[in-house]
Amino acid sequence: MKRVLLLGDSIRMGYQDYVNELLKDKCMVIYDEHENGRFAAYTLWQANQFFKSYGKFDVVHWNNGYWDMNVEAPMINAMHPVDEYVHFLKRIIAEIQRNGAEIIFATTTP
């Protein structure tokens, strides 16, 4: 059975049950039921934990950005600078590729 890992910030929690139901007879869908990926740095850590626990995946569906790029008043700048955000996105990509999984990066969600 194919193995799918869902990673990402709180948006991922909005579609994880739907994806699990949709793929239940075709794939084992794995995700953290209680925690979201928050910032990209946290998602990197979380991905490593899943790779340690579950080994190889066929597909990793992943999103990040809202937490990193959010400007929450009264702040006037995003939580993380763009270059730092990009740095962690590249590290996540490298780790997923090292795991051997195909990557689906969700740039928008309905």
Side-chain angles (χ1 to χ4, degrees):
M1 182 174 277
K2 301 258 183 199
R3 293 160 47 112
V4 175
L5 175 61
L6 302 180
L7 286 175
D9 59 28
S10 51
I11 293 168
R12 187 247 330 142
M13 295 179 90
Y15 57 76
Q16 66 193 21
D17 293 339
Y18 174 75
V19 171
N20 192 35
E21 179 64 26
L22 189 67
L23 297 178
K24 70 180 177 188
D25 296 326
K26 300 174 188 167
C27 302
M28 177 188 303
V29 180
I30 297 167
Y31 50 88
D32 190 322
E33 294 181 39
H34 307 290
E35 290 284 329
N36 73 69
R38 303 175 197 162
F39 305 103
Y42 186 83
T43 297
L44 174 63
W45 175 84
Q46 199 175 46
N48 188 59
Q49 299 308 304
F50 279 113
F51 297 156
K52 260 196 306 193
S53 296
Y54 293 95
K56 299 286 182 187
F57 288 89
D58 297 289
V59 173
V60 174
H61 183 282
W62 152 57
N63 77 286
N64 269 114
Y66 182 79
W67 283 56
D68 294 272
M69 296 292 95
N70 184 35
V71 178
E72 188 153 335
M75 292 188 311
I76 59 170
N77 294 312
M79 184 60 83
H80 293 117
V82 172
D83 59 334
E84 182 179 301
Y85 172 60
V86 169
H87 165 80
F88 281 106
L89 293 182
K90 287 178 179 179
R91 288 195 57 198
I92 294 167
I93 290 167
E95 289 304 314
I96 294 171
Q97 289 174 333
R98 203 164 65 80
N99 182 268
E102 295 290 323
I103 300 171
I104 299 172
F105 185 73
T107 56
T108 63
T109 53

